[in-house]
DNA sequence: GCAAAAGTGTTCTAGGTACACCCATGT
DNA sequence: ACATGGGTGTACCTAGAACACTTTTGC
């Protein structure tokens, strides 16, 4: 039992974990095994330990839910509307993370009966105010695609420029011109030509590039 | 006495209140009358009531400290490093506000022995991690000046274009071209010519303009 | 008539957009 | 030889930057 002179809220982190799969932007959702909202889909997250930093808590959740580390993580917003949780006053510090396509090894932990990737374009009803959290995260992601290198964090260690262009097209939802796209990304010198090529199908092999600073998002322009 | 099965952190809001005075960007600081950091300068702020929204709490602090309402307020970031407060685990949701030059009627409340405006260029040592909070707020403000109408929230109800230009020059720290500046702000149709003029000194009177949507920051460009 | 801030257009430059063809490979 | 995606250059257009003089007022 822990006692305080004044009532204290509980503090959680919720984390919006994005990835790209099958040409779609997806978020990781867990099916809640406990009340409230039992059986309902929700964002991974949980209570912040009393001696644990906020980002540390988010990284812990991320690792527990997807097994990945060293990815792009950013604080999104703090949600604290009274009654957003029926149990007690809960203030949630939301984070969002970008997980490269090749790094995900989802292994749901004990709290969740299952964890699954859901396309952003057709999300189920979500517990609490998680719909709103996902919405804000998508908005932030889309905005940052324009003026930062955030998109590179979706890429595996080695990737082709066509793959990268596809990522931008999916998130922005518009087709891009190949020549202009290449001009722009090659002007920015944060990606390197590995010298290697990858053969995929009956056509010319593509050059492979790497992103120098995985896990970061530099502001450009 | 309030009891919980698991330890709960305390949650506060701290608020960085900016204004412009004497051609300088200033922040409102209070001198702490209680431990910890008694006698030290700190940001206004305080505990979030158990049934109070986060923004509501910030607005309450703002009103208590400066007596102003209806100004631009935005959530900045949530600071939660363990031990940032020596008393107990305290997670602080930081907000920042822009108060127009003519609206401020600072009246320190009981918590603070005094409240004073301090120039950002020469801040005293601050309590807790408040130096860091002010730093982040300044950074955000400077960035938003470039791509939003946030700067208009520093203006009184009626203002001249020269006054507005001066505001931008102070915050960006660089002189601006008068013709280009006027072209840009007049292209954006969120400010209106009142038709009135103001005589100030031995020179031609200046047109007075108003900002249509006080308390907001539209993204432009 | 002079000091002091208000007000007003044009030219130049750079970055973004639009656009079409050849190349390397597998079958 | 043909189908498939990889790779490359130029012309145009528009938004931002640089730049100097006239106007209105008070003293």
């Amino acid at each position: 039992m822990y006692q305080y002179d004044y009532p204290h809220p509980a503090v959680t982190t919720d984390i919006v974990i994005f990835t790209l799969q099958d040409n779609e932007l997806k978020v990781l959702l867990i099916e809640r095994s406990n009340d409230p909202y039992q059986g309902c889909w929700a964002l991974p997250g949980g209570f912040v330990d009393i001696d644990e930093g906020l980002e540390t808590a988010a990284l812990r959740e991320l690792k527990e839910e997807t097994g990945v580390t060293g990815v792009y993580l950013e604080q999104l917003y703090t949600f604290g509307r009274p009654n957003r949780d029926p149990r007690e006053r809960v203030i949630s510090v939301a984070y969002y993370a970008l997980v490269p396509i090749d790094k995900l090894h989802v292994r749901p932990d004990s709290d969740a009966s299952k964890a699954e990737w859901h396309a952003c374009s057709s999300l189920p009803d979500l517990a609490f105010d998680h719909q709103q959290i996902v919405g804000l995260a998508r908005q932030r992601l889309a905005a940052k695609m324009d003026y930062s290198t955030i998109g590179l964090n979706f890429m595996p260690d080695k990737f082709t420029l066509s793959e990268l262009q596809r990522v931008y097209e999916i998130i922005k939802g518009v087709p891009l011109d190949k020549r202009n796209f290449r001009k722009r990304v090659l002007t920015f010198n944060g990606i390197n030509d590995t010298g290697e090529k990858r053969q995929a199908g009956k056509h010319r092999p593509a050059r492979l590039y790497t992103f120098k600073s995985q896990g970061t998002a530099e502001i450009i322009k």
Side-chain angles (χ1 to χ4, degrees), chain A:
Chain A
M1 272 304 177
Y2 297 85
Q3 297 189 341
Y4 304 93
D5 288 346
Y6 298 97
H8 280 41
V11 176
T12 60
T13 64
D14 286 310
I15 168 162
V16 185
I17 306 169
F18 287 115
T19 199
L20 283 161
Q21 211 180 43
D22 307 326
N23 285 338
E24 278 194 300
L25 182 65
K26 300 198 171 180
V27 228
L28 186 66
L29 298 178
I30 59 166
E31 198 176 54
R32 291 183 56 85
S33 48
N34 302 313
D35 262 327
Y37 294 100
Q38 186 175 3
C40 192
W41 292 99
L43 292 172
F47 294 94
V48 175
D49 293 343
I50 198 69
D51 280 317
E52 181 184 43
L54 299 171
E55 186 166 321
T56 309
L59 286 169
R60 176 173 52 76
E61 299 294 342
L62 179 61
K63 194 178 170 190
E64 285 174 7
E65 301 295 342
T66 67
V68 301
T69 54
V71 299
Y72 183 77
L73 183 79
E74 188 185 329
Q75 190 181 303
L76 176 65
Y77 196 77
T78 298
F79 296 83
R81 182 172 53 79
N83 308 313
R84 56 180 291 282
D85 190 309
R87 292 167 292 186
E88 60 176 325
R89 177 75 190 277
V90 177
I91 288 165
S92 178
V93 185
Y95 282 79
Y96 69 107
L98 272 48
V99 174
I101 311 168
D102 63 331
K103 280 199 182 163
L104 29 105
H105 314 285
V106 176
R107 36 166 155 133
D109 80 342
S110 51
D111 268 14
S113 39
K114 55 180 172 177
E116 273 175 17
W117 294 99
H118 289 254
C120 278
S121 54
S122 63
L123 290 180
D125 282 344
L126 299 183
F128 309 105
D129 50 4
H130 288 185
Q131 200 90 43
Q132 190 191 349
I133 299 178
V134 174
L136 187 63
R138 288 186 62 183
Q139 213 177 300
R140 181 94 129 247
L141 173 61
K144 283 222 165 186
M145 292 295 282
D146 285 330
Y147 64 86
S148 83
T149 59
I150 194 171
L152 288 163
N153 289 291
F154 279 120
M155 306 314 292
D157 290 343
K158 295 175 182 178
F159 55 88
T160 71
L161 292 186
S162 294
E163 286 167 354
L164 183 60
Q165 182 175 343
R166 192 81 196 95
V167 166
Y168 275 79
E169 287 176 331
I170 292 166
I171 296 176
K172 306 234 44 170
V174 291
L176 299 173
D177 179 83
K178 199 205 285 192
R179 281 172 291 191
N180 293 338
F181 182 80
R182 283 165 188 248
K183 205 188 306 170
R184 235 169 62 84
V185 304
L186 293 174
T187 304
F188 162 69
N189 65 350
I191 66 171
N192 289 116
D193 188 343
T194 60
E196 300 169 59
K197 294 188 177 188
R198 177 194 296 154
Q199 182 65 47
K202 52 172 184 171
H203 54 80
R204 182 172 174 176
R207 286 169 187 271
L208 290 171
Y209 292 83
T210 53
F211 176 33
K212 286 178 189 167
S213 7
Q214 275 287 133
T216 66
E218 191 182 328
I219 305 297
I220 50 176
K221 273 211 241 185

